[in-house]
Amino acid sequence: MTPNPILLFFLIHLSLFTHVPRAAAAGGQWALLKQNIGIVAMHMQLLRNDRVVIFDRTDFGLSNISLPNGQCRNDPNDTALQTDCSAHSVEYDVATNSIRPLTVLTDVWCSSGSVAPDGRLVQTGGFNDGDHVVRIYRPCSDCDWDEIKSGLTRRRWYATNQILPDGRQIIIGGRKEFNYEFYPKTNSDSKAFSLRFLVDTNDPTIENNLYPFVFLNVDGNLFIFVNNRAILFDYVKDVVVRNYPTMPDQNPRNNPSAGSGVLLPLKNLQGGEIGAEVLVCGGAPKGSYTSAMNGTFVGALNTCGRIKITDPKPRWVMETMPLARVMGDMVLLPNRDVLIINGASAGTAGWEVGRDPVLKPIIYRPDNLIGSRFEVQNPSDVPRMYHSTAVLLRDGRILVGGSNPHINYKFTGNRFPTELRLEAFSPSYLDSGSHNLRPKIISPASSAKLGYQQRIAVRFTVTSTVNGNLVSVTMVAPSFNTHSFSMNQRLLVLGGGNVTTLGKSTYEIGVVTPGSGNLAPPGYYMLFVVHQEIPSEGIWVQIQ
């Protein structure tokens, strides 16, 4: 058939005016680290010894890895196996790419946690016989869990933890718990305190107020986002300081609607007034959970809301992602970008109610102009649905695991089998073509102890010519990741541009550490030198 010349002319000219979004670019590489780690990576926390504590739940039945030395867990309250000789927690050693089984006794399903200033993981709550338990994990070569049976005042299941400026942690919410408490306890705060905001944001029969998005603001108060609303909360005086506008589309973003939220990098720390912004992305539209329970899987949200929480008149600015996503995770990268990864494009969080996995991550560049902030990355071939996780490693990779969208371990006969594989996503800044631009930190030494408002000189090498105006130093807190939210995730830009040449390929940049615990709660952070958006491998530093 001879082509119609008029139609051909029209199609050619139409193609010239078709907008190709900048998000069409792709980058990053995937690597399979372990074919089978024995358990589902439902919760993950990186520690200062470059080992990652991973756990799922004790009432899943037998896992694929045995407890050490022939041990067994005997629990008359367990709903699956009262005697279980398999592990439900492991330690992943990044350096050796190896797994060590750990012994957790009570149920940690849907729990929370954060790292104390001394580097211990303080993990709280869970399900069944674990809902009042506090568990301590010390970072050492042969350590295991210590459990405090009645460490919590109230049942904490789907709660959120935040490290405070004094090093304590506040534990907020949980299923049918409209209150908060502190750990460790003191005489003045040994009880739980009511938080009416959690009642007001609870959708009857659905909830949508689980795992609140909690961030420590630069003034020491807490920004708490639940469902589609947010407050600034003074936990010292137990009062709401301000109410923020409702998300414009009115859609819920917390579990089980399962969007994700992040405090964007804090900059200008030595300036007169420090601004703070929060980004909330994805989730399931209102009514999705009920629809999914009835067999209809509604498409996920493709929007993000961004708000400057320190602004006198804050407002949400809405942006459109190139891919809709529910059950995604947001990870702060050392170069100040945000990675959005994992999840599905339809359905909601819960058993068997997610559909259409989103295999392509997205990079969000917060400093770009609106409309040019998103970039689609290369896909994995492993669906990461309900109960997936992602955390930043010190070498700049993202550790990705989990996915168990049904009750118990199920490997066959399911749309999405229980997933025991562990992967790493390497952003494009780790490409071999960037090697000559990548800094290597010489000093300070790793595990250096730093004070607040302390001037430090960071020495580094770069094999190619350095553009001193494009060098900065960032500091990232390791986060506790579960259920689409990374607790205590925080990135601070310590400074940039002040670069001195010391010799061939050797340089020094002077920066000042944050001024108080309001900006950087005490504890361990990964410190990076970033050159032309390419980060060094990080070093551990302790702020105290």
Side-chain angles (χ1 to χ4, degrees), residues 1 154 238 333 476:
M1 180 183 295
R154 302 297 290 269
D238 190 29
L333 301 180
V476 185

Side-chain angles (χ1 to χ4, degrees), residues 319-391:
E319 302 181 58
T320 301
M321 297 188 291
L323 300 170
R325 193 179 307 254
V326 61
M327 296 181 289
D329 292 285
M330 299 172 75
V331 182
L332 290 171
L333 301 180
N335 65 353
R336 300 184 290 183
D337 290 342
V338 181
L339 179 69
I340 307 173
I341 196 168
N342 297 337
S345 60
T348 185
W351 304 124
E352 310 285 356
V353 289
R355 294 292 185 274
D356 305 327
V358 183
L359 300 174
K360 294 179 179 180
I362 295 173
I363 293 285
Y364 177 83
R365 306 189 192 281
D367 294 334
N368 283 11
L369 294 175
I370 193 168
S372 62
R373 291 173 174 163
F374 295 100
E375 182 182 281
V376 177
Q377 303 296 288
N378 288 319
S380 169
D381 59 3
V382 180
R384 299 290 182 181
M385 306 294 282
Y386 188 43
H387 293 144
S388 298
T389 45
V391 296

Side-chain angles (χ1 to χ4, degrees), residues 217-218 264-268 273-277 308-311:
N217 192 18
V218 296
L264 292 177
L266 298 175
K267 302 177 290 185
N268 305 317
E273 193 167 316
I274 303 168
E277 292 184 90
K308 187 173 182 180
I309 65 176
T310 51
D311 198 82

